[in-house]
């Protein structure tokens, strides 16, 4: 039986501008329906982290994780940067790992 899962993506790339981060967030929102739950910037405007969340369902966390990871790894952005992300699938069981997108 399928269960509901939260898909949590925390982007922690700090070597990019706010404009670059906004482009990434816009793409993830448009193409994957992630909801932006907030971003943090240092006093000198460097990105410290952005939290994105959406829901999904699947038979187990590993299946949802692998499917989400494959989708996200196909994403290409206009910048040459790769974004460091913590991908977590949480529900009845939990899977988490660091992935790179872009």
């Amino acid at each position: 039986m399928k269960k509901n899962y939260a898909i949590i993506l925390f982007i922690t790339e700090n070597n990019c501008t706010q404009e670059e981060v906004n482009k990434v967030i816009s793409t993830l929102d448009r193409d994957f329906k992630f909801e932006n739950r907030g971003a943090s910037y240092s006093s000198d405007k460097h990105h410290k982290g952005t939290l994105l969340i959406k829901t999904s369902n699947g038979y187990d966390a590993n299946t949802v994780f692998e499917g989400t990871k494959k989708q996200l790894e196909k994403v290409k952005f206009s910048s040459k940067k790769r974004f460091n992300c913590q991908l977590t699938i949480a529900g009845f069981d939990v899977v988490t790992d660091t992935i790179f997108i872009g």
Side-chain angles (χ1 to χ4, degrees), residues 1-5 56-60 63-64 92:
M1 181 170 91
K2 288 187 174 184
K3 302 172 199 101
N4 292 324
Y5 288 94
S56 184
N57 58 23
Y59 293 104
D60 61 54
T63 303
V64 175
F92 182 74

Side-chain angles (χ1 to χ4, degrees), residues 21 25 36-41 47 49-51:
V21 173
I25 292 167
N36 185 350
R37 292 301 195 135
S40 177
Y41 294 89
H47 181 248
T50 298
L51 180 65

Side-chain angles (χ1 to χ4, degrees), residues 80-95:
K80 301 272 187 213
K81 293 184 187 240
R82 291 180 42 113
F83 291 84
N84 181 8
C85 303
Q86 184 70 34
L87 175 62
T88 302
I89 309 300
F92 182 74
D93 43 350
V94 176
V95 175

